[in-house]
Amino acid sequence: MIENTFGINIVPENEADRLEALKRYRITDSPSEESFDGIARLATQIFNVPISLLSLVDAESVFFKANIGMGKAKEANRGKSLCALAVLDKEVTVFEDALKEPCLMANPNVIGDFGLRFYAGAPLITHDGFLIGTLCVIDQKTREFSLADRKILEDLAKVAMDQIELRRSSLDTIDELQKSNLRLNSIQLDLESAVEELAAINEEMEATNEELNTANENVSKSYDLTVQLNKNLQTSELRLKSFISKAPVAFGILAGSELKIEVANDMILKIWGKDQKIIGQPLAEALPKLKEQPYLDILADVFTSGNSYIGDTAPVKLESDGVLKECYFDFIYEPLKDEDDKTVAIIVIANEVTERINKKYELEELNQQLEIALYAGQLGSYNLDLITGKINSSSQCKANYGLPSDYTFDFDNLMQIILPEYRDNLKEKINQSIENHSPFNAEYLVRWPDESLHWINASGILSFDETGTATNMIGVTVDITKRKNYEAQKDDFLSIASHELKTPITSLKASIQLLMRLKDKPTHEMVPKLIDQSSRSLDKLSTLVDDLLNIKRLSGGNLELTKEVFTVSEMLGTCCDDIRITGKHHLIVKGDLDATIFADEQRIDQVVVNFVNNAVKYAPLSKEIHLIVNQLEDCVKITVKDHGDGIDPEIQPLLFDRYYRANHKGKTYSGLGLGLYISAEIIKRHGGEIGVDSVLGEGSSFWFTLPMNVTAN
């Protein structure tokens, strides 16, 4: 009784006629035959599968006429065998992943230990249209099965059906011959009896003669039928040869230990870059480039051992149009054996996968370039599921939000990290992007777990399903805190620069206006004061303009250095004369007074003047300012030390930043906040280091080092 595991009707409407058609072929429960085993074996080799069956579907069971890969199994229950489904449809039945087929969810071959995952079966269709069985291929892993694959399996099934028809015709012929032989035997007996009773059976002889004539006619017909069967067999052979010749996979047969090319279809000739002229030649002579590669040795080992060899994405160097190219193939070397189990030839089946491998390498290279670009730009990538809110993000993306790489990150977490005043705007921009099918871009402020604030720029594009619903947003994030701070500093600088430039210009303008009024009175007591005031305004204006020009040169990389060898103490003794003249501060030069350096003296003088001016400005009560020279192992260190109030440790790391202006105890000082930045850049251009050591209440020491080069090079 059929144990139907499929949940659908597996008995066709014409079941009775179908079973009657199957019965007339007298093939069920018959022993295996090489012609059918060969077809099943060829199917496993063509499709590179472990199992192929030629099955006949009876009333309650499925009989395996050919079994490659299923051990000694001869039959299966019809309600469990997938071949029962294949005889329901004249098209090829394919299950690429059996676990995804509802009708197979209870099938023991799928869910049991056997673990069937892939099945493709082409029906065996009789000449009068009945589906009596299948030629099927089976695998325990999922596979893709193209239209070309289906056509190949269908053609193999037709070849198998031709063999079944031929077998039936042969059996019918044998039956007819046996019947004729029986009748001939009976006639022979009658003839022997007739010799003894000739006179009595003359009338019977006439009847016997008629029967003999009839028998002769039957024998003649049987002969004609045999001739026709031979023609059919030749037609099947031609069809098989045509199928092999035009098959979309490379196919060849190498005969004997010399591996002479016996069969080579169009595809393998195209791969080799040869034509039919190489048929009959040893492979090593036809393709001499193979001598430098391992494949001739592998073929020799297959011939000697009788074991198959499977190659997976194997590289092969082949010559085409005089050019040696590297190609990649999936291939199998299958030994052909005689009745004594001795290898006589090797079947070669190959499929070129060069394009797939090249695309794989191109994709890997693109992915590597993308990773490098993301790393170089410190870009974090993300994939936001708009349905669930889950975010699949890179480690850099999480780092942009101050999160560890193993943190579970989703949209709700993002809303908690973003400052409240930016949340609604972010949601609105996402909704606008979805409504307009446009790219997404937003900037917002986030709070890291350490309470620090950071600016984030996020951008992305949407992906939609077949209904037009937005499902995912894929994009990148970048921490733009430095840029935002720089923009804020730049805005502050422009405001400060406008104010600082306006002050000396206004003072100079007022002094000139007063001088214009007194131009006819050059001896007036106010004239010297106004001239001094104008000079101070011009000096201050010149300093501000010099700072602006220097920052311009630094930004454009155009700050030129004119290096020469000079004694540091001599340079320190002549700089800052304006400070010495006032008499308010005493500049003391000490240390290694004979130390020399190879540098741009004017630029180094500029750095020292900046340090001294800052000491005068921010430590006005420090009467002594020390200019110290220390000759170290490989450099010279110059320090400007004051005894002022010192600098808060929190702001010391910021002193050499562009546009930074210190605010000491509520006091406001003029300047653009560029002096120390320009000084730092000058020292860096010399290959030195710059820094500050300061303790509140004990004063500050601004220092820099320069490489101790004593000759130009």
Side-chain angles (χ1 to χ4, degrees):
M1 181 177 180
I2 299 177
E3 179 186 349
N4 190 346
T5 64
F6 301 105
I8 61 174
N9 183 18
I10 60 173
V11 179
E13 294 180 357
N14 64 344
E15 178 69 358
D17 294 335
R18 190 190 70 81
L19 293 174
E20 188 64 30
L22 173 62
K23 183 178 179 182
R24 70 185 180 217
Y25 288 96
R26 291 178 287 170
I27 194 170
T28 56
D29 295 325
S30 62
S32 63
E33 299 176 33
E34 180 57 29
S35 59
F36 296 106
D37 290 344
I39 293 173
R41 188 179 301 108
L42 182 60
T44 62
Q45 295 168 353
I46 289 175
F47 298 107
N48 193 22
V49 295
I51 300 170
S52 178
L53 303 173
L54 183 66
S55 62
L56 290 308
V57 180
D58 208 339
E60 296 183 1
S61 62
V62 176
F63 169 69
F64 301 144
K65 181 59 179 175
N67 175 355
I68 303 299
M70 285 283 288
K72 297 182 179 180
K74 290 294 184 181
E75 64 179 272
N77 188 293
R78 181 176 176 181
K80 298 179 182 179
S81 173
L82 272 66
C83 295
L85 300 177
V87 297
L88 300 178
D89 192 344
K90 290 187 176 183
E91 302 296 329
V92 177
T93 298
V94 178
F95 300 116
E96 294 183 337
D97 187 350
L99 290 179
K100 295 182 179 180
E101 301 296 332
C103 66
L104 303 181
M105 291 297 98
N107 188 276
N109 293 319
V110 176
I111 63 175
D113 294 337
F114 178 69
L116 185 147
R117 293 294 176 270
F118 167 80
Y119 174 91
L124 302 175
I125 305 175
T126 67
H127 65 88
D128 49 355
F130 291 103
L131 281 63
I132 62 171
T134 67
L135 174 63
C136 65
V137 290
I138 297 172
D139 205 340
Q140 291 171 313
K141 59 183 180 181
T142 60
R143 299 173 60 96
E144 293 183 355
F145 207 66
S146 66
L147 292 177
D149 294 334
R150 296 175 188 234
K151 184 65 172 64
I152 293 171
L153 186 60
E154 188 179 74
D155 288 344
L156 285 176
K158 290 179 181 178
V159 172
M161 191 63 216
D162 287 344
Q163 287 293 113
I164 293 174
E165 294 284 358
L166 180 61
R167 180 182 182 279
R168 176 199 169 195
S169 297
S170 299
L171 290 175
D172 290 345
T173 300
I174 291 170
D175 289 343
E176 288 293 331
L177 290 173
Q178 288 176 344
K179 290 178 181 179
S180 297
N181 287 333
L182 289 174
R183 283 196 293 269
L184 287 173
N185 289 335
S186 176
I187 292 170
Q188 183 66 34
L189 292 173
D190 290 342
L191 286 173
E192 291 175 355
S193 176
V195 171
E196 297 176 354
E197 301 175 358
L198 183 59
I201 59 172
N202 283 332
E203 294 181 359
E204 294 180 5
M205 284 289 292
E206 293 179 0
T208 301
N209 286 332
E210 291 180 359
E211 291 179 1
L212 284 172
N213 290 333
T214 301
N216 286 332
E217 290 178 0
N218 290 336
V219 170
S220 178
K221 290 180 180 178
S222 297
Y223 174 78
D224 293 340
L225 179 60
T226 301
V227 171
Q228 183 62 41
L229 289 175
N230 286 331
K231 290 182 179 179
N232 291 341
L233 181 59
Q234 292 175 354
T235 301
S236 297
E237 290 177 352
L238 290 173
R239 183 181 297 173
L240 181 59
K241 289 180 179 179
S242 176
F243 160 72
I244 292 174
S245 176
K246 303 301 180 183
V249 294
F251 182 90
I253 297 178
L254 308 175
S257 59
E258 294 183 354
L259 303 175
K260 289 185 178 181
I261 302 172
E262 184 176 281
V263 176
N265 72 349
D266 295 347
M267 181 62 73
I268 203 168
L269 289 174
K270 180 180 178 182
I271 290 172
W272 288 345
K274 303 293 181 180
D275 55 27
Q276 290 288 340
K277 294 178 181 178
I278 67 170
I279 300 297
Q281 295 182 16
L283 183 65
E285 293 181 10
L287 301 174
K289 293 296 181 181
L290 288 181
K291 295 178 181 178
E292 304 169 3
Q293 302 178 59
Y295 301 103
L296 292 176
D297 292 337
I298 295 174
L299 285 165
D301 182 67
V302 171
F303 192 90
T304 303
S305 67
N307 298 323
S308 301
Y309 182 88
I310 298 176
D312 184 16
T313 60
V316 183
K317 292 182 178 179
L318 296 172
E319 188 173 357
S320 176
D321 298 328
V323 179
L324 195 63
K325 297 181 179 179
E326 186 170 61
C327 307
Y328 294 87
F329 292 89
D330 291 337
F331 68 90
I332 181 171
Y333 295 154
E334 180 69 23
L336 279 177
K337 302 180 180 181
D338 59 16
E339 60 275 6
D340 297 326
D341 200 34
K342 181 180 179 181
T343 302
V344 295
I346 298 176
I347 295 177
V348 177
I349 301 176
N351 182 37
E352 185 171 3
V353 293
T354 304
E355 184 177 356
R356 185 188 76 195
I357 296 301
N358 289 340
K359 287 183 178 179
K360 175 185 175 183
Y361 289 156
E362 290 175 4
L363 183 60
E364 289 176 351
E365 183 177 355
L366 287 174
N367 286 336
Q368 184 178 15
Q369 292 175 357
L370 177 59
E371 290 178 2
I372 292 173
L374 290 175
Y375 178 78
Q378 292 186 321
L379 297 173
S381 59
Y382 68 89
N383 185 340
L384 168 62
D385 188 325
L386 296 171
I387 308 301
T388 65
K390 298 296 182 182
I391 300 176
N392 183 8
S393 55
S394 66
S395 297
Q396 181 60 49
C397 181
K398 295 175 182 177
N400 289 341
Y401 294 94
L403 303 173
S405 59
D406 59 351
Y407 189 82
T408 302
F409 193 42
D410 57 27
F411 193 74
D412 290 338
N413 299 131
L414 177 63
M415 287 296 102
Q416 295 299 318
I417 296 171
I418 296 175
L419 267 59
E421 57 267 30
Y422 294 92
R423 295 172 185 170
D424 291 340
N425 182 57
L426 175 61
K427 292 179 180 179
E428 179 62 25
K429 288 195 173 185
I430 293 176
N431 291 333
Q432 289 177 358
S433 180
I434 294 173
E435 292 174 3
N436 301 327
H437 288 207
S438 60
F440 161 78
N441 185 267
E443 292 184 357
Y444 45 82
L445 198 59
V446 301
R447 189 185 303 278
W448 282 15
D450 63 3
E451 298 299 320
S452 61
L453 298 179
H454 294 261
W455 280 96
I456 300 295
N457 178 280
S459 57
I461 56 175
L462 299 170
S463 59
F464 300 85
D465 61 16
E466 62 276 3
T467 66
T469 302
T471 58
N472 293 80
M473 177 182 289
I474 301 172
V476 295
T477 64
V478 61
D479 188 333
I480 58 171
T481 305
K482 290 184 178 179
R483 192 194 80 192
K484 283 288 189 178
N485 291 340
Y486 176 75
E487 289 174 354
Q489 290 177 348
K490 186 176 180 181
D491 291 341
D492 292 343
F493 166 73
L494 292 175
S495 175
I496 293 168
S498 299
H499 175 75
E500 293 294 337
L501 288 171
K502 186 175 181 180
T503 299
I505 290 173
T506 301
S507 176
L508 179 61
K509 183 178 180 181
S511 298
I512 292 175
Q513 287 175 344
L514 290 175
L515 285 171
M516 288 294 294
R517 295 177 185 177
L518 298 174
K519 66 181 178 179
D520 296 331
K521 303 176 181 179
T523 59
H524 194 282
E525 62 180 2
M526 287 295 294
V527 170
K529 295 180 180 180
L530 292 173
I531 292 175
D532 290 342
Q533 184 173 325
S534 298
S535 178
R536 288 193 297 273
S537 297
L538 280 173
D539 290 342
K540 186 174 183 180
L541 187 60
S542 177
T543 300
L544 294 174
V545 172
D546 283 344
D547 282 348
L548 290 174
L549 290 175
N550 284 330
I551 196 66
K552 174 67 175 178
R553 293 191 187 101
L554 287 171
S555 299
N558 297 322
L559 184 67
E560 296 182 358
L561 299 178
T562 304
K563 294 185 179 181
E564 59 183 347
V565 178
F566 61 91
T567 302
V568 177
S569 61
E570 292 179 0
M571 180 272 295
L572 296 177
T574 58
C575 73
C576 305
D577 284 342
D578 56 330
I579 303 297
R580 291 185 173 91
I581 291 173
T582 61
K584 295 181 179 180
H585 300 275
H586 183 36
L587 304 184
I588 302 173
V589 179
K590 60 182 181 179
D592 298 318
L593 302 182
D594 294 327
T596 61
I597 56 174
F598 179 65
D600 187 325
E601 183 173 0
Q602 181 180 351
R603 294 298 181 188
I604 301 304
D605 180 277
Q606 181 181 344
V607 175
V608 174
V609 168
N610 184 271
F611 283 2
V612 173
N613 285 339
N614 281 345
V616 171
K617 181 189 296 185
Y618 297 114
L621 300 180
S622 178
K623 298 303 180 181
E624 291 185 351
I625 299 175
H626 296 269
L627 282 64
I628 307 168
V629 183
N630 291 319
Q631 184 166 315
L632 306 179
E633 182 178 352
D634 57 355
C635 64
V636 173
K637 182 177 182 181
I638 302 170
T639 305
V640 176
K641 178 177 178 61
D642 65 57
H643 301 282
D645 295 334
I647 303 171
D648 190 331
E650 293 185 0
I651 68 172
Q652 289 181 26
L654 307 175
L655 292 176
F656 297 96
D657 290 350
R658 187 189 296 191
Y659 307 133
Y660 182 77
R661 301 170 78 241
N663 185 355
H664 293 261
K665 297 182 179 180
K667 297 178 182 179
T668 302
Y669 298 95
S670 63
L672 301 177
L674 295 174
L676 290 178
Y677 171 74
I678 294 171
S679 298
E681 289 298 316
I682 290 173
I683 299 305
K684 289 178 184 177
R685 298 292 174 91
H686 279 80
E689 297 181 356
I690 193 168
V692 61
D693 300 318
S694 181
V695 178
L696 289 175
E698 298 182 11
S700 303
S701 294
F702 283 82
W703 56 267
F704 62 88
T705 64
L706 293 172
M708 193 170 57
N709 298 319
V710 297
T711 59
N713 48 43

